[in-house]
Amino acid sequence: MQQLNTTAINTIPYAKQPVEIVERKGMSHPDTICDALAEELSRSLCQFYLEHFGLVLHHNVDKALLWGGTSQPLFGGGKILAPMEIFLAGRATCEYKGIRVPVKELMHDSASNWLESNFHVFDPAQHIKLHCLIRPGSMDLVELYLRQKETGIALANDTSCGVGYAPLSELERVVLQIEKKLNSNEIKSLHPEIGEDIKVMGTRRGDTVELTIACAFIDRYISSLHDYFDKKLHLASLVEHETKLTTHKQVMVTINAADDIAAESIYLTITGTSAESGDDGEVGRGNRVNGLITPYRSMNMEAAAGKTR
C-alpha cells in the first residue's frame, strides 16, 4: 500500500484573496457539447461491452471537434444556412469474439438523444451533421484490457493525474447556480426565448461581484429589437434575484455586453447555441469535471470526457 502524503498549503485562503475569477460554459456552449457527446459515446460503449461481453473493453473516444454552421436569425424566426458538424474521433474495440460492435450507430444514437434531451428547440435531423471517426485500438492496449477478465483487476492503459478541491467558494457556487437555474426546465417553460448556450463569468474584487453573462436568445420568441431588450432586462432581474439566495455581496449583472442597439447588433440565434454560426468547439476546452473553470485554483488541463483508463 502506498503512503498517503499530506502537506499544508501556506497561502492566503482562496475566499480571502483580493481577486477571484470563475467561469462556467453552459449546456450548449460548443465546448460543452463536445465534452458531452464524447462522454455519452463512452457510456454507450461501456454499456454495450458489459451487456454483451461482461467487461468494459478498450476505448478512448476523447477527441471531438464541432465545426460551427452558418445561420440567418431574424425576429420571429430565421433559417439555418449550413448545419453545424461534429466529428467524434478516437479508438474503440469494434469486434470481440466474432461479435461486431455497432460503434457508428451507438455514436449517432447517443449524440442525437443527448441533443434532443438538452435543447428545447434543437432538431438534430436538420441542425447538425455527425461524423464517426472511430478506428480500432492497437493490439497491445486491447490485450491489456482483456487481462482484467482473468485477474478481476482493472488495469490502466495510460498515465494520468487528477486534481480536486473542496469546498466551493461562494463565487463558485454563485456561477454554478446561475447557469443551472437559467438552463432549468422551469425557466425554459416560462422563458423559452432563453437558449441553452449560457456562459457565466464571475469576478470578485473584494466584496463586489461582477457577473458577465453571454446568453443566446432564440429568434422565434423575439418579435422586435424592443422586445429583445425587454426580455434581456427581465433576464438580468432573474439573475439578480437568484444571486441573493447564495450571496449577500453586492452583485452587478451584465447580459450580452457586446450588444449595440444603434447598430441593431444583438445576440440572436435560431437554435439557442452560438455553434450555429458564431463559434466552434473542442473536447477539453471547457469546464473541468466539477463544472467550472477556475484559473485561481489548482487544475489539471487534461480532458476527462470520453476516456477510459
Side-chain angles (χ1 to χ4, degrees), residues 197-199 211-217 228-229 232 235 253-260 265-268:
D197 192 348
I198 298 170
K199 185 163 77 168
L211 294 179
T212 303
I213 300 174
C215 175
F217 282 86
Y228 172 85
F229 279 96
K232 192 171 84 162
L235 175 59
V253 178
T254 302
I255 308 289
N256 295 350
D259 285 349
D260 185 341
S265 175
I266 58 176
Y267 192 3
L268 198 63

PDB file of all heavy atoms in Angstrom, residues 197-199 211-217 228-229 232 235 253-260 265-268:
ATOM      1  N   ASP A 197     -27.182  28.012 -24.567  1.00  0.00           N
ATOM      2  CA  ASP A 197     -25.788  28.467 -24.606  1.00  0.00           C
ATOM      3  C   ASP A 197     -25.650  29.697 -23.708  1.00  0.00           C
ATOM      4  O   ASP A 197     -25.831  30.842 -24.153  1.00  0.00           O
ATOM      5  CB  ASP A 197     -25.376  28.791 -26.043  1.00  0.00           C
ATOM      6  CG  ASP A 197     -23.866  28.977 -26.191  1.00  0.00           C
ATOM      7  OD1 ASP A 197     -23.180  29.073 -25.161  1.00  0.00           O
ATOM      8  OD2 ASP A 197     -23.382  29.011 -27.333  1.00  0.00           O
ATOM      9  N   ILE A 198     -25.362  29.434 -22.450  1.00  0.00           N
ATOM     10  CA  ILE A 198     -25.244  30.491 -21.436  1.00  0.00           C
ATOM     11  C   ILE A 198     -23.868  30.369 -20.792  1.00  0.00           C
ATOM     12  O   ILE A 198     -23.559  29.363 -20.160  1.00  0.00           O
ATOM     13  CB  ILE A 198     -26.339  30.353 -20.365  1.00  0.00           C
ATOM     14  CG1 ILE A 198     -27.728  30.498 -20.996  1.00  0.00           C
ATOM     15  CG2 ILE A 198     -26.138  31.384 -19.255  1.00  0.00           C
ATOM     16  CD1 ILE A 198     -28.860  30.133 -20.069  1.00  0.00           C
ATOM     17  N   LYS A 199     -23.041  31.383 -20.973  1.00  0.00           N
ATOM     18  CA  LYS A 199     -21.708  31.374 -20.352  1.00  0.00           C
ATOM     19  C   LYS A 199     -21.674  32.438 -19.263  1.00  0.00           C
ATOM     20  O   LYS A 199     -22.021  33.599 -19.510  1.00  0.00           O
ATOM     21  CB  LYS A 199     -20.616  31.621 -21.382  1.00  0.00           C
ATOM     22  CG  LYS A 199     -19.214  31.503 -20.789  1.00  0.00           C
ATOM     23  CD  LYS A 199     -18.136  31.343 -21.849  1.00  0.00           C
ATOM     24  CE  LYS A 199     -17.817  32.639 -22.535  1.00  0.00           C
ATOM     25  NZ  LYS A 199     -16.579  32.544 -23.350  1.00  0.00           N
ATOM     26  N   LEU A 211     -20.989  39.809 -12.571  1.00  0.00           N
ATOM     27  CA  LEU A 211     -21.357  38.655 -13.390  1.00  0.00           C
ATOM     28  C   LEU A 211     -21.568  39.121 -14.823  1.00  0.00           C
ATOM     29  O   LEU A 211     -22.426  39.958 -15.094  1.00  0.00           O
ATOM     30  CB  LEU A 211     -22.648  38.007 -12.868  1.00  0.00           C
ATOM     31  CG  LEU A 211     -22.584  37.346 -11.489  1.00  0.00           C
ATOM     32  CD1 LEU A 211     -23.957  36.784 -11.117  1.00  0.00           C
ATOM     33  CD2 LEU A 211     -21.532  36.237 -11.440  1.00  0.00           C
ATOM     34  N   THR A 212     -20.763  38.594 -15.728  1.00  0.00           N
ATOM     35  CA  THR A 212     -20.913  38.876 -17.152  1.00  0.00           C
ATOM     36  C   THR A 212     -21.460  37.611 -17.809  1.00  0.00           C
ATOM     37  O   THR A 212     -20.820  36.564 -17.771  1.00  0.00           O
ATOM     38  CB  THR A 212     -19.569  39.272 -17.786  1.00  0.00           C
ATOM     39  OG1 THR A 212     -19.034  40.395 -17.084  1.00  0.00           O
ATOM     40  CG2 THR A 212     -19.747  39.616 -19.248  1.00  0.00           C
ATOM     41  N   ILE A 213     -22.644  37.727 -18.386  1.00  0.00           N
ATOM     42  CA  ILE A 213     -23.350  36.560 -18.901  1.00  0.00           C
ATOM     43  C   ILE A 213     -23.598  36.720 -20.393  1.00  0.00           C
ATOM     44  O   ILE A 213     -24.147  37.732 -20.833  1.00  0.00           O
ATOM     45  CB  ILE A 213     -24.687  36.353 -18.152  1.00  0.00           C
ATOM     46  CG1 ILE A 213     -24.423  36.133 -16.671  1.00  0.00           C
ATOM     47  CG2 ILE A 213     -25.473  35.190 -18.757  1.00  0.00           C
ATOM     48  CD1 ILE A 213     -25.674  36.060 -15.819  1.00  0.00           C
ATOM     49  N   ALA A 214     -23.169  35.726 -21.151  1.00  0.00           N
ATOM     50  CA  ALA A 214     -23.498  35.654 -22.577  1.00  0.00           C
ATOM     51  C   ALA A 214     -24.622  34.649 -22.736  1.00  0.00           C
ATOM     52  O   ALA A 214     -24.470  33.477 -22.398  1.00  0.00           O
ATOM     53  CB  ALA A 214     -22.278  35.236 -23.388  1.00  0.00           C
ATOM     54  N   CYS A 215     -25.766  35.106 -23.227  1.00  0.00           N
ATOM     55  CA  CYS A 215     -26.949  34.255 -23.356  1.00  0.00           C
ATOM     56  C   CYS A 215     -27.472  34.317 -24.783  1.00  0.00           C
ATOM     57  O   CYS A 215     -27.795  35.394 -25.287  1.00  0.00           O
ATOM     58  CB  CYS A 215     -28.040  34.694 -22.380  1.00  0.00           C
ATOM     59  SG  CYS A 215     -29.589  33.777 -22.567  1.00  0.00           S
ATOM     60  N   ALA A 216     -27.553  33.152 -25.413  1.00  0.00           N
ATOM     61  CA  ALA A 216     -28.079  33.076 -26.782  1.00  0.00           C
ATOM     62  C   ALA A 216     -29.601  33.118 -26.739  1.00  0.00           C
ATOM     63  O   ALA A 216     -30.244  32.170 -26.287  1.00  0.00           O
ATOM     64  CB  ALA A 216     -27.602  31.785 -27.444  1.00  0.00           C
ATOM     65  N   PHE A 217     -30.183  34.227 -27.198  1.00  0.00           N
ATOM     66  CA  PHE A 217     -31.635  34.316 -27.283  1.00  0.00           C
ATOM     67  C   PHE A 217     -32.123  33.650 -28.569  1.00  0.00           C
ATOM     68  O   PHE A 217     -31.419  33.638 -29.587  1.00  0.00           O
ATOM     69  CB  PHE A 217     -32.086  35.772 -27.241  1.00  0.00           C
ATOM     70  CG  PHE A 217     -32.080  36.372 -25.866  1.00  0.00           C
ATOM     71  CD1 PHE A 217     -30.920  36.929 -25.342  1.00  0.00           C
ATOM     72  CD2 PHE A 217     -33.233  36.362 -25.095  1.00  0.00           C
ATOM     73  CE1 PHE A 217     -30.909  37.475 -24.063  1.00  0.00           C
ATOM     74  CE2 PHE A 217     -33.238  36.904 -23.816  1.00  0.00           C
ATOM     75  CZ  PHE A 217     -32.072  37.464 -23.298  1.00  0.00           C
ATOM     76  N   TYR A 228     -36.564  42.304 -27.563  1.00  0.00           N
ATOM     77  CA  TYR A 228     -35.293  41.694 -27.148  1.00  0.00           C
ATOM     78  C   TYR A 228     -34.744  42.363 -25.894  1.00  0.00           C
ATOM     79  O   TYR A 228     -34.373  41.694 -24.924  1.00  0.00           O
ATOM     80  CB  TYR A 228     -34.279  41.793 -28.290  1.00  0.00           C
ATOM     81  CG  TYR A 228     -32.873  41.363 -27.915  1.00  0.00           C
ATOM     82  CD1 TYR A 228     -32.493  40.026 -27.968  1.00  0.00           C
ATOM     83  CD2 TYR A 228     -31.928  42.305 -27.503  1.00  0.00           C
ATOM     84  CE1 TYR A 228     -31.201  39.627 -27.625  1.00  0.00           C
ATOM     85  CE2 TYR A 228     -30.642  41.926 -27.158  1.00  0.00           C
ATOM     86  CZ  TYR A 228     -30.282  40.591 -27.221  1.00  0.00           C
ATOM     87  OH  TYR A 228     -29.011  40.201 -26.876  1.00  0.00           O
ATOM     88  N   PHE A 229     -34.695  43.694 -25.904  1.00  0.00           N
ATOM     89  CA  PHE A 229     -34.118  44.391 -24.756  1.00  0.00           C
ATOM     90  C   PHE A 229     -35.018  44.285 -23.525  1.00  0.00           C
ATOM     91  O   PHE A 229     -34.521  44.231 -22.392  1.00  0.00           O
ATOM     92  CB  PHE A 229     -33.808  45.842 -25.116  1.00  0.00           C
ATOM     93  CG  PHE A 229     -32.514  45.978 -25.860  1.00  0.00           C
ATOM     94  CD1 PHE A 229     -32.501  46.034 -27.240  1.00  0.00           C
ATOM     95  CD2 PHE A 229     -31.312  45.997 -25.186  1.00  0.00           C
ATOM     96  CE1 PHE A 229     -31.303  46.129 -27.938  1.00  0.00           C
ATOM     97  CE2 PHE A 229     -30.108  46.090 -25.864  1.00  0.00           C
ATOM     98  CZ  PHE A 229     -30.097  46.160 -27.244  1.00  0.00           C
ATOM     99  N   LYS A 232     -34.178  40.901 -22.211  1.00  0.00           N
ATOM    100  CA  LYS A 232     -32.834  40.902 -21.635  1.00  0.00           C
ATOM    101  C   LYS A 232     -32.841  41.548 -20.245  1.00  0.00           C
ATOM    102  O   LYS A 232     -32.181  41.052 -19.316  1.00  0.00           O
ATOM    103  CB  LYS A 232     -31.857  41.635 -22.564  1.00  0.00           C
ATOM    104  CG  LYS A 232     -30.409  41.425 -22.168  1.00  0.00           C
ATOM    105  CD  LYS A 232     -29.436  41.958 -23.202  1.00  0.00           C
ATOM    106  CE  LYS A 232     -29.174  43.421 -23.026  1.00  0.00           C
ATOM    107  NZ  LYS A 232     -27.932  43.862 -23.738  1.00  0.00           N
ATOM    108  N   LEU A 235     -34.240  39.077 -17.869  1.00  0.00           N
ATOM    109  CA  LEU A 235     -33.242  38.049 -17.547  1.00  0.00           C
ATOM    110  C   LEU A 235     -32.276  38.555 -16.484  1.00  0.00           C
ATOM    111  O   LEU A 235     -31.928  37.827 -15.540  1.00  0.00           O
ATOM    112  CB  LEU A 235     -32.485  37.646 -18.814  1.00  0.00           C
ATOM    113  CG  LEU A 235     -31.318  36.672 -18.630  1.00  0.00           C
ATOM    114  CD1 LEU A 235     -31.781  35.360 -18.009  1.00  0.00           C
ATOM    115  CD2 LEU A 235     -30.630  36.412 -19.969  1.00  0.00           C
ATOM    116  N   VAL A 253     -24.735  42.830 -12.644  1.00  0.00           N
ATOM    117  CA  VAL A 253     -25.021  41.857 -13.705  1.00  0.00           C
ATOM    118  C   VAL A 253     -25.014  42.544 -15.060  1.00  0.00           C
ATOM    119  O   VAL A 253     -25.661  43.576 -15.253  1.00  0.00           O
ATOM    120  CB  VAL A 253     -26.389  41.174 -13.478  1.00  0.00           C
ATOM    121  CG1 VAL A 253     -26.691  40.193 -14.617  1.00  0.00           C
ATOM    122  CG2 VAL A 253     -26.418  40.460 -12.134  1.00  0.00           C
ATOM    123  N   THR A 254     -24.269  41.970 -15.997  1.00  0.00           N
ATOM    124  CA  THR A 254     -24.254  42.447 -17.383  1.00  0.00           C
ATOM    125  C   THR A 254     -24.624  41.287 -18.294  1.00  0.00           C
ATOM    126  O   THR A 254     -24.012  40.216 -18.223  1.00  0.00           O
ATOM    127  CB  THR A 254     -22.872  42.988 -17.777  1.00  0.00           C
ATOM    128  OG1 THR A 254     -22.503  44.052 -16.895  1.00  0.00           O
ATOM    129  CG2 THR A 254     -22.882  43.498 -19.210  1.00  0.00           C
ATOM    130  N   ILE A 255     -25.626  41.491 -19.142  1.00  0.00           N
ATOM    131  CA  ILE A 255     -26.072  40.462 -20.086  1.00  0.00           C
ATOM    132  C   ILE A 255     -25.681  40.884 -21.500  1.00  0.00           C
ATOM    133  O   ILE A 255     -25.989  42.002 -21.918  1.00  0.00           O
ATOM    134  CB  ILE A 255     -27.602  40.264 -20.032  1.00  0.00           C
ATOM    135  CG1 ILE A 255     -28.081  40.027 -18.577  1.00  0.00           C
ATOM    136  CG2 ILE A 255     -28.032  39.136 -20.961  1.00  0.00           C
ATOM    137  CD1 ILE A 255     -27.699  38.695 -18.009  1.00  0.00           C
ATOM    138  N   ASN A 256     -25.020  40.003 -22.232  1.00  0.00           N
ATOM    139  CA  ASN A 256     -24.664  40.236 -23.640  1.00  0.00           C
ATOM    140  C   ASN A 256     -24.029  41.610 -23.835  1.00  0.00           C
ATOM    141  O   ASN A 256     -24.574  42.503 -24.496  1.00  0.00           O
ATOM    142  CB  ASN A 256     -25.890  40.059 -24.541  1.00  0.00           C
ATOM    143  CG  ASN A 256     -26.396  38.626 -24.531  1.00  0.00           C
ATOM    144  OD1 ASN A 256     -25.746  37.725 -24.012  1.00  0.00           O
ATOM    145  ND2 ASN A 256     -27.560  38.400 -25.110  1.00  0.00           N
ATOM    146  N   ALA A 257     -22.850  41.750 -23.256  1.00  0.00           N
ATOM    147  CA  ALA A 257     -22.166  43.049 -23.214  1.00  0.00           C
ATOM    148  C   ALA A 257     -21.837  43.600 -24.596  1.00  0.00           C
ATOM    149  O   ALA A 257     -21.649  44.812 -24.752  1.00  0.00           O
ATOM    150  CB  ALA A 257     -20.879  42.914 -22.392  1.00  0.00           C
ATOM    151  N   ALA A 258     -21.767  42.750 -25.606  1.00  0.00           N
ATOM    152  CA  ALA A 258     -21.394  43.216 -26.949  1.00  0.00           C
ATOM    153  C   ALA A 258     -22.567  43.791 -27.737  1.00  0.00           C
ATOM    154  O   ALA A 258     -22.371  44.301 -28.843  1.00  0.00           O
ATOM    155  CB  ALA A 258     -20.760  42.076 -27.747  1.00  0.00           C
ATOM    156  N   ASP A 259     -23.785  43.721 -27.202  1.00  0.00           N
ATOM    157  CA  ASP A 259     -24.951  44.253 -27.919  1.00  0.00           C
ATOM    158  C   ASP A 259     -24.767  45.738 -28.232  1.00  0.00           C
ATOM    159  O   ASP A 259     -24.280  46.516 -27.404  1.00  0.00           O
ATOM    160  CB  ASP A 259     -26.222  44.085 -27.076  1.00  0.00           C
ATOM    161  CG  ASP A 259     -26.727  42.651 -27.055  1.00  0.00           C
ATOM    162  OD1 ASP A 259     -26.231  41.829 -27.854  1.00  0.00           O
ATOM    163  OD2 ASP A 259     -27.622  42.359 -26.237  1.00  0.00           O
ATOM    164  N   ASP A 260     -25.190  46.121 -29.435  1.00  0.00           N
ATOM    165  CA  ASP A 260     -25.140  47.531 -29.868  1.00  0.00           C
ATOM    166  C   ASP A 260     -26.516  47.892 -30.415  1.00  0.00           C
ATOM    167  O   ASP A 260     -26.879  47.511 -31.526  1.00  0.00           O
ATOM    168  CB  ASP A 260     -24.070  47.697 -30.944  1.00  0.00           C
ATOM    169  CG  ASP A 260     -23.879  49.152 -31.361  1.00  0.00           C
ATOM    170  OD1 ASP A 260     -24.793  49.975 -31.110  1.00  0.00           O
ATOM    171  OD2 ASP A 260     -22.829  49.457 -31.949  1.00  0.00           O
ATOM    172  N   SER A 265     -27.210  45.291 -33.463  1.00  0.00           N
ATOM    173  CA  SER A 265     -26.351  44.106 -33.385  1.00  0.00           C
ATOM    174  C   SER A 265     -26.574  43.450 -32.026  1.00  0.00           C
ATOM    175  O   SER A 265     -26.197  44.000 -30.985  1.00  0.00           O
ATOM    176  CB  SER A 265     -24.880  44.506 -33.549  1.00  0.00           C
ATOM    177  OG  SER A 265     -24.035  43.388 -33.363  1.00  0.00           O
ATOM    178  N   ILE A 266     -27.216  42.281 -32.021  1.00  0.00           N
ATOM    179  CA  ILE A 266     -27.600  41.609 -30.781  1.00  0.00           C
ATOM    180  C   ILE A 266     -27.300  40.125 -30.878  1.00  0.00           C
ATOM    181  O   ILE A 266     -27.055  39.589 -31.964  1.00  0.00           O
ATOM    182  CB  ILE A 266     -29.098  41.822 -30.467  1.00  0.00           C
ATOM    183  CG1 ILE A 266     -29.960  41.307 -31.624  1.00  0.00           C
ATOM    184  CG2 ILE A 266     -29.377  43.296 -30.187  1.00  0.00           C
ATOM    185  CD1 ILE A 266     -31.440  41.376 -31.369  1.00  0.00           C
ATOM    186  N   TYR A 267     -27.335  39.449 -29.723  1.00  0.00           N
ATOM    187  CA  TYR A 267     -27.029  38.018 -29.656  1.00  0.00           C
ATOM    188  C   TYR A 267     -28.319  37.232 -29.879  1.00  0.00           C
ATOM    189  O   TYR A 267     -29.011  36.860 -28.944  1.00  0.00           O
ATOM    190  CB  TYR A 267     -26.408  37.693 -28.300  1.00  0.00           C
ATOM    191  CG  TYR A 267     -25.790  36.316 -28.191  1.00  0.00           C
ATOM    192  CD1 TYR A 267     -25.728  35.425 -29.262  1.00  0.00           C
ATOM    193  CD2 TYR A 267     -25.236  35.907 -26.970  1.00  0.00           C
ATOM    194  CE1 TYR A 267     -25.154  34.179 -29.136  1.00  0.00           C
ATOM    195  CE2 TYR A 267     -24.651  34.665 -26.830  1.00  0.00           C
ATOM    196  CZ  TYR A 267     -24.607  33.803 -27.916  1.00  0.00           C
ATOM    197  OH  TYR A 267     -24.038  32.561 -27.774  1.00  0.00           O
ATOM    198  N   LEU A 268     -28.616  36.984 -31.140  1.00  0.00           N
ATOM    199  CA  LEU A 268     -29.843  36.302 -31.535  1.00  0.00           C
ATOM    200  C   LEU A 268     -29.481  35.037 -32.310  1.00  0.00           C
ATOM    201  O   LEU A 268     -28.616  35.073 -33.194  1.00  0.00           O
ATOM    202  CB  LEU A 268     -30.687  37.233 -32.410  1.00  0.00           C
ATOM    203  CG  LEU A 268     -32.172  36.908 -32.585  1.00  0.00           C
ATOM    204  CD1 LEU A 268     -32.909  36.973 -31.247  1.00  0.00           C
ATOM    205  CD2 LEU A 268     -32.810  37.873 -33.584  1.00  0.00           C
TER     206      LEU A 268
END
